[in-house]
């Protein structure tokens, strides 16, 4: 999950995700559209098949009617002149049948065309024997010369003692050029006879249904049969012809789908960015487990002794990466989370420090607060958690000057804090709003000089300002801290400054440390102090 999240939150990945999402949506929409289009195509093919079947299905009803007419109207003794006259009258009906045999038991005794008695002729085994769906025997596509119809071919349908000759059917079937079809007459077994359309379309259909069918069909096929499963029509789309015929629709659909997927992908990406933007993640996951503390040791410049530390906050992102204050402090301020945040930092610091720092020493604990939270009641309440170890911990709050609070209000709050045992230092002195002129107006307990001073080259403007600032601050009896000391040389120089700087902090002394390493640092302090002293 964390992996996925970290994948989602990198800006570069977001573009990739938008692309992948766009393609996935396109594929999805394309398959949905194809599915619908396929359904439509199948409905169309079914309708065309019914139209192609209709003339063949009618043969069955026509046969029923004609057999009915024979049974009703041909009553004379078989094969007599009266008999043939009656039979001929039935032949005049406009149903396409005009040749009848009297053929009890499948042996032709007389017929209309030969007229009169003829040599009995056995028709032999029928191609289609009577079955559950039909009580007729059928001889398919027989030469009719024996019945006096030289050169003609027809199918003979025998029901009872009479047989009707069904001439070859040539119905007009019109289908779109991209659709092939074949009408077949099926037997009771696997035999079938081509009736109309393209030979092999039915074969193709049967193969597509059988075990030798290709796993990925290359075309769309369908089969429709009459109610008696006698006549069937197989249809088959010719893909290239279909694509040609439908190209305008296909292109329009593809264009629409591409635009729709691009739109959805852009919208989806925006939703992901919104949900997984740093701000949103931070606000959603700001809690006691995600706010971490590191501790940067502060030493007394004169002795090199560790007098305390500054608590610096970190935030653990959902992918477990560590986020630095420059990224989250603006979010804390923008969303009015300052009080909640400071509380989480203070509570964490208390939990870690009270469990680990040695009980036999006093530490100055510096915590950064937000200017808008400069409210003695609020801060006293926040730092109440430290009550159990207040005998060992001096609390200092650091704040940068800001136009968010009026000087007289600040003054009152700072005094109230001092009364409650909490000292207030000005942070980043020398930058932004804080300057030497309005320092006099503020009743703070100490001043932390910005790190621009710490590393200012000798003789530079910054260095001269430093001397001036130190004089001023010293004269007003406030403690002086310098931060950002990065080299041994600078620490040496700062040691020689008169009037003296009280405390120092910086990478040369120590980077900010997690609680484990901070307690180790405190434990290893004796030898280090010696080293610092020797260097002096
Ligand atoms: P800051 O209060 O001025 O804290 C000192 C910053 O300087 C820290 O950065 C620290 O890691 C860095 N630093 C320490 N020694 C050196 C050094 O020798 N050289 C250089 N170049 N840098 C050094 P960090 O931890 O990134 O904090 C940045 C700022 O975020 C802090 O500046 C502070 O204003 C704010 N901040 C951090 N934690 C909190 C917090 O819990 N509450 C509030 N309100 N602000 C916080
Ligand atoms: Ca600070
Ligand atoms: Ca600072």
């Amino acid at each position: 999950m964390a992996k996925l999240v970290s994948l989602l939150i990198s800006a570069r990945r977001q573009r990739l995700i938008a692309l992948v999402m766009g393609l996935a949506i396109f594929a999805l929409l394309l398959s949905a559209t194809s599915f619908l289009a396929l359904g439509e195509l199948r409905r169309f093919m079914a309708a065309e098949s019914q139209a192609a079947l209709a003339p063949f299905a009618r043969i069955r009803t026509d046969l029923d009617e004609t057999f009915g007419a024979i049974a009703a109207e041909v009553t004379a003794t078989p094969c007599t002149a009266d008999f043939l006259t009656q039979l001929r009258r039935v032949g005049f009906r406009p149903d396409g049948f005009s040749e009848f045999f009297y053929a009890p038991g499948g042996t032709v005794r007389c017929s209309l065309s030969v007229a009169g008695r003829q040599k009995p002729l056995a028709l032999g085994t029928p191609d289609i024997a009577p079955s559950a769906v039909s009580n007729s025997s059928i001889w398919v596509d027989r030469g009719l010369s024996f019945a006096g119809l030289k050169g003609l071919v027809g199918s003979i349908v025998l029901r009872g003692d009479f047989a009707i000759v069904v001439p070859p059917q040539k119905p007009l079937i019109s289908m779109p050029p991209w659709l092939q079809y074949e009408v077949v007459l099926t037997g009771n077994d696997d035999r079938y006879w081509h009736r109309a359309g393209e030979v092999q379309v039915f074969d193709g259909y049967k193969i597509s249904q059988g075990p030798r069918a290709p796993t990925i069909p290359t075309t769309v096929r369908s089969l429709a049969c009459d109610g008696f499963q006698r006549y069937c029509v197989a249809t088959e789309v010719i893909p290239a012809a279909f694509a040609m015929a439908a190209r305008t629709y296909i292109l329009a659909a593809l264009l629409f789908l591409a635009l729709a997927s691009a739109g959805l992908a852009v919208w989806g990406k925006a939703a992901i960015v919104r949900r997984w933007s740093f701000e949103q993640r931070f606000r959603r996951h700001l809690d006691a487990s995600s706010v971490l503390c590191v501790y940067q040791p502060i030493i007394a410049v004169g002795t090199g002794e560790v007098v305390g530390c500054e608590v610096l906050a970190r935030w653990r992102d959902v992918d477990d990466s560590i986020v630095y204050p420059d990224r989250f402090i603006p979010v804390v301020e923008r969303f009015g989370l300052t009080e909640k945040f400071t509380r989480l930092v203070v509570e964490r610091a208390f939990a870690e420090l009270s469990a680990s720092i040695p009980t036999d020493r006093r530490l100055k604990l510096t915590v950064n607060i937000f200017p808008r939270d400069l409210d003695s009641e609020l801060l006293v309440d926040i730092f109440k958690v430290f009550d159990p170890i207040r005998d060992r911990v001096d609390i200092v709050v650091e704040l940068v000057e800001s136009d968010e609070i009026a000087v007289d209000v600040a003054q009152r709050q700072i005094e109230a804090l001092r009364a409650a045992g909490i000292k207030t230092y000005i942070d980043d002195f020398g930058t932004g709003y804080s300057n030497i002129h309005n320092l006099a107006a503020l009743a703070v307990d100490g001043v932390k000089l910005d790190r621009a001073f710490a590393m200012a080259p000798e003789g530079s403007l910054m260095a001269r300002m430093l001397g001036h600032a130190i004089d001023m601050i010293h004269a007003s009896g406030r403690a002086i801290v310098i931060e950002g000391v990065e080299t041994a040389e600078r620490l040496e120089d700062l040691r020689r400054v008169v009037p003296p700087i009280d405390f120092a902090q910086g990478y040369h002394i120590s980077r900010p440390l997690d609680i484990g390493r901070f307690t180790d640092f405190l434990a290893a302090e004796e030898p280090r102090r010696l080293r610092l002293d020797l260097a002096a």
Side-chain angles (χ1 to χ4, degrees):
M1 183 60 193
K3 278 239 175 62
L4 177 76
V5 170
S6 63
L7 187 105
L8 290 177
I9 58 188
S10 110
R12 195 164 42 89
R13 295 262 171 69
Q14 280 167 7
R15 267 193 296 281
L16 183 73
I17 283 174
L19 186 73
V20 172
M21 215 157 61
L23 290 177
I25 293 172
F26 183 73
L28 211 74
L29 289 181
L30 187 65
S31 26
T33 314
S34 310
F35 181 78
L36 293 177
L38 198 66
E40 207 46 53
L41 180 63
R42 286 197 179 285
R43 266 189 293 284
F44 176 80
M45 286 165 80
E48 291 290 289
S49 300
Q50 287 312 321
L53 267 182
F56 294 95
R58 203 156 47 237
I59 295 173
R60 167 94 184 199
T61 30
D62 288 348
L63 281 172
D64 287 347
E65 277 177 23
T66 308
F67 277 119
I70 290 171
E73 293 168 30
V74 182
T75 51
T77 313
C79 296
T80 58
D82 282 352
F83 177 87
L84 290 173
T85 307
Q86 286 172 343
L87 204 53
R88 188 164 294 112
R89 214 172 288 137
V90 177
F92 286 145
R93 293 162 55 96
D95 52 13
F97 310 135
S98 50
E99 175 61 320
F100 308 119
F101 301 151
Y102 177 66
T107 301
V108 181
R109 304 272 168 189
C110 55
S111 66
L112 269 187
S113 5
V114 175
R117 237 161 241 288
Q118 61 185 81
K119 204 167 125 240
L121 183 101
L123 287 168
T125 321
D127 293 314
I128 303 172
S131 70
V133 294
S134 158
N135 53 358
S136 311
S137 302
I138 305 169
W139 289 262
V140 183
D141 297 348
R142 288 298 164 104
L144 298 173
S145 310
F146 72 89
L149 298 163
K150 264 216 158 20
L152 293 185
V153 168
S155 297
I156 301 161
V157 179
L158 175 74
R159 211 181 275 179
D161 293 343
F162 291 89
I164 299 177
V165 172
V166 180
Q169 306 290 309
K170 289 270 174 271
L172 257 176
I173 297 171
S174 81
M175 289 214 185
W178 47 266
L179 197 58
Q180 297 199 97
Y181 75 97
E182 181 182 14
V183 182
V184 296
L185 169 66
T186 60
N188 296 334
D189 37 36
D190 268 350
R191 290 178 68 197
Y192 66 91
W193 296 266
H194 173 85
R195 299 288 90 173
E198 305 285 326
V199 278
Q200 282 179 347
V201 176
F202 183 68
D203 261 348
Y205 176 81
K206 285 214 299 188
I207 291 170
S208 78
Q209 298 305 102
R212 286 188 297 127
T215 24
I216 300 165
T218 50
T219 184
V220 185
R221 298 168 198 273
S222 80
L223 184 75
C225 297
D226 65 21
F228 306 99
Q229 304 284 317
R230 270 294 167 246
Y231 287 101
C232 290
V233 55
T235 50
E236 175 185 325
V237 172
I238 308 164
F242 178 73
M244 255 330 261
R247 64 185 181 279
T248 320
Y249 297 105
I250 294 174
L251 286 177
L254 285 179
L255 189 70
F256 174 77
L257 292 187
L259 286 176
S261 350
L264 283 173
V266 167
W267 177 82
K269 189 199 123 177
I272 288 177
V273 171
R274 227 178 302 122
R275 178 155 178 82
W276 292 105
S277 73
F278 177 74
E279 283 178 8
Q280 295 303 318
R281 289 199 310 281
F282 182 80
R283 290 171 66 191
R284 229 168 329 128
H285 297 282
L286 178 65
D287 56 28
S289 65
S290 63
V291 171
L292 311 177
C293 292
V294 288
Y295 308 87
Q296 186 171 33
I298 298 173
I299 60 166
V301 174
T303 61
E305 185 190 1
V306 178
V307 293
C309 63
E310 177 170 10
V311 180
L312 295 164
R314 303 288 180 259
W315 187 68
R316 189 177 16 229
D317 206 337
V318 285
D319 64 349
D320 279 345
S321 64
I322 299 298
V323 181
Y324 286 80
D326 56 332
R327 193 140 178 236
F328 61 75
I329 291 292
V331 183
V332 172
E333 289 179 324
R334 181 144 20 104
F335 293 98
L337 299 166
T338 55
E339 181 189 332
K340 175 181 180 185
F341 185 78
T342 305
R343 230 177 250 284
L344 289 170
V345 170
V346 169
E347 279 162 12
R348 177 123 200 161
F350 171 74
E352 293 186 341
L353 292 168
S354 62
S356 340
I357 55 167
T359 48
D360 60 347
R361 60 185 297 176
R362 237 189 138 71
L363 284 181
K364 204 192 279 283
L365 185 71
T366 303
V367 176
N368 294 286
I369 61 162
F370 297 90
R372 73 180 72 158
D373 290 341
L374 181 61
D375 175 305
S376 59
E377 265 175 51
L378 171 73
L379 292 171
V380 166
D381 183 58
I382 289 177
F383 283 97
K384 240 196 347 251
V385 282
F386 269 94
D387 281 356
I389 56 167
R390 271 313 288 272
D391 54 334
R392 296 188 273 136
V393 173
D394 292 319
I395 289 168
V396 176
V397 293
E398 265 180 20
L399 80 160
V400 288
E401 272 187 66
S402 132
D403 58 358
E404 278 183 61
I405 28 166
V407 172
D408 55 331
V409 177
Q411 205 79 302
R412 273 202 305 281
Q413 299 303 334
I414 291 168
E415 272 155 24
L417 281 172
R418 187 180 304 126
I422 297 175
K423 291 200 168 100
T424 309
Y425 281 28
I426 286 288
D427 202 355
D428 297 343
F429 185 80
T431 63
Y433 288 94
S434 61
N435 58 58
I436 293 166
H437 300 293
N438 57 27
L439 175 69
L442 271 186
V444 290
D445 303 279
V447 173
K448 188 179 256 188
L449 298 168
D450 189 72
R451 67 166 159 271
F453 288 115
M455 296 306 289
E458 227 163 312
S460 65
L461 178 68
M462 248 352 221
R464 265 179 294 154
M465 275 174 66
L466 172 67
H468 195 52
I470 292 172
D471 279 341
M472 277 269 320
I473 301 162
H474 191 74
S476 64
R478 292 173 180 130
I480 305 174
V481 189
I482 188 145
E483 67 178 335
V485 181
E486 294 182 349
T487 62
E489 296 75 50
R490 280 311 283 162
L491 185 59
E492 277 325 298
D493 295 345
L494 292 169
R495 279 204 162 132
R496 284 194 289 268
V497 170
V498 186
I501 293 172
D502 304 288
F503 308 109
Q505 179 185 350
Y507 290 168
H508 169 64
I509 298 149
S510 168
R511 298 221 160 223
L513 305 168
D514 63 30
I515 186 65
R517 272 184 271 169
F518 178 61
T519 31
D520 290 349
F521 189 89
L522 285 179
E525 201 198 347
E526 282 308 308
R528 188 175 36 246
R529 200 159 73 211
L530 277 177
R531 225 173 39 243
L532 287 168
D533 287 345
L534 281 175

